[in-house]
């Protein structure tokens, strides 16, 4: 079969890596990069380090408002898919590239599949939640990471035979690189002792675009008793500068850095006292690595990470952030990894595609 993967943003490259490896072996695999992320360290660095095939097409969309970005992607993806005539399109995660990919496919009556289907924060003000809900409504195959994700899809009326509880492809990427992560010398290079620092990421619009929330988070973390390593998303770095917070971090506990490569970031994450983040995927990685996670959000679509005690929600509330940091080491953190978060996720996905070709068609709608 000719199978097209559509990716565009950093977390999607990580999810694509195990799928590319598996799909290349069994099918003709074509990669379309929308160009949503374009800086070297947000994009190419991941293709190089994770040994992902060069994208066959780069649409070079770049940044803009969500409407502009998604619209441009839809237009250019439509043209590209029309020429490629694939049997199946695969989209990943919850970004604007995910939504545009699924929409472009369904409008051309090309069957599509969603990797990481069924996660729900039930907060429709998040752009990612809109992307998840709409994508799952229009794809034919749903590859769910957890049982709760399966249940969310069933609750929304997706047919049982269209849902496959394959596990978490982000976890597979991590587990497959464990050897390289263990061998990384990044702690020595950065003069860090295991367990002596926290890792921070912060890029959600609800935190970065609200000056009060960004200030609450940064000023609270600037006073922690340990060092906070902060590889900042380019947009976050721009907001820190704009809001005058950059100067306040000078000489504080926060060490601001450019975005890091995958292996080095995971090595630092694995040896950290805790991870403080508003990312989705990092909550999962922390769980797999057995590192406590403090999430700078008031809700999460990764509910399993809360259930098993590996994660807590603190939003942008200084008191809650401080309390969560103080609770570290109290023994309350007993994370366990959900079922099927292993190195066979991509293989399960490809097997499900091969064994369910009858589902790869779009029924005509009768109005
Ligand atoms: C996107 C995803 C988010 C994901 C995140 C991972 C959507 C709606 N959001 O958010 O779910 O967690 O990626 O990083 O798709 N920029 C650069 N260089 C780059 C890319 C972006 O400087 O290589 C800056 C630009 O100023 C741009 C801004 O980041 O305006 C926003 O980028 P965009 O790709 O639209 O969304 P993210 O915030 O990265």
């Amino acid at each position: 079969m000719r199978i097209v993967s559509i990716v565009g943003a950093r977390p999607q490259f990580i999810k694509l890596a195990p799928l590319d490896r598996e799909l290349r072996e069994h099918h003709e695999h074509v990669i379309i990069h929308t160009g949503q992320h374009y800086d070297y360290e947000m994009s190419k660095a991941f293709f190089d380090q994770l040994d992902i095939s060069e994208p066959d097409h780069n649409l070079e969309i770049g940044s803009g408002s969500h409407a502009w970005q998604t619209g441009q992607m839809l237009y250019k993806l439509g043209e590209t898919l029309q020429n490629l005539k694939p049997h199946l399109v695969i989209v990943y995660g919850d970004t604007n590239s995910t939504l545009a990919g699924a929409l472009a496919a369904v409008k051309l009556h090309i069957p599509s599949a969603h990797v990481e289907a069924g996660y729900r924060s039930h907060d429709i003000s998040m752009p990612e939640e809109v992307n998840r809900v709409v994508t799952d409504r229009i794809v034919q195959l749903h590859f769910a990471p957890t049982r709760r994700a399966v249940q969310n899809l069933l609750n929304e009326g997706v047919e049982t035979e269209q849902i496959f509880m394959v596990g978490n492809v982000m976890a597979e990427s991590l587990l497959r690189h464990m050897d390289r992560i263990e061998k990384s010398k990044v702690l020595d290079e950065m003069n860090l002792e295991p367990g002596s620092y926290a890792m921070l990421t912060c890029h959600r619009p609800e935190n970065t675009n609200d000056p009060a929330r960004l200030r609450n988070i940064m000023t609270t973390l600037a006073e922690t008793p340990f060092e906070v390593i902060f590889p900042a998303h380019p947009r976050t770095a721009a907001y820190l500068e704009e809001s005058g917070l950059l100067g306040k971090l000078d000489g504080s506990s926060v060490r601001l850095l450019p975005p890091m490569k995958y292996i080095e970031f995971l090595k630092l994450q694995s040896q950290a006292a805790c991870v403080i983040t508003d990312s989705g995927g990092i909550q999962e990685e922390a769980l797999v690595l057995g590192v406590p996670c403090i999430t700078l959000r008031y809700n999460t679509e990764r509910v399993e990470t809360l259930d098993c005690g590996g994660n807590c929600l603190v939003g942008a509330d200084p008191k809650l952030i401080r309390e969560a940091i103080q609770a570290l080491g109290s023994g309350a953190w007993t994370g366990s990894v959900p079922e099927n978060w292993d190195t066979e996720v991509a293989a399960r996905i490809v097997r499900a595609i091969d064994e369910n070709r009858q589902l790869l068609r779009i029924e005509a709608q009768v109005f």
Side-chain angles (χ1 to χ4, degrees), residues 9-11 36-39 42 63-64 66 69 94-97 127-128 131 203-204 233-235:
R10 181 168 58 174
Q36 176 169 353
H37 285 174
Y38 43 85
D39 285 345
M42 297 288 285
S63 307
H66 284 226
Q69 189 179 54
D94 57 16
T95 74
N96 292 340
S97 299
E128 291 80 7
N131 294 342
H203 74 274
R204 292 267 155 217
H233 186 296
R235 184 167 45 73

Side-chain angles (χ1 to χ4, degrees), residues 253-267:
S253 352
V254 177
R255 200 194 302 186
L256 189 69
L257 300 169
M260 295 184 77
K261 290 187 179 171
Y262 182 69
I263 301 290
E264 288 72 16
F265 182 81
L266 281 172
K267 175 69 182 196

Side-chain angles (χ1 to χ4, degrees), residues 7 21 59 120 124 130 166 175-176 311:
V7 290
R21 189 172 152 274
L59 308 183
R120 295 290 180 267
I124 205 72
V130 178
V166 292
L175 295 170
R176 284 196 178 276
N311 189 11

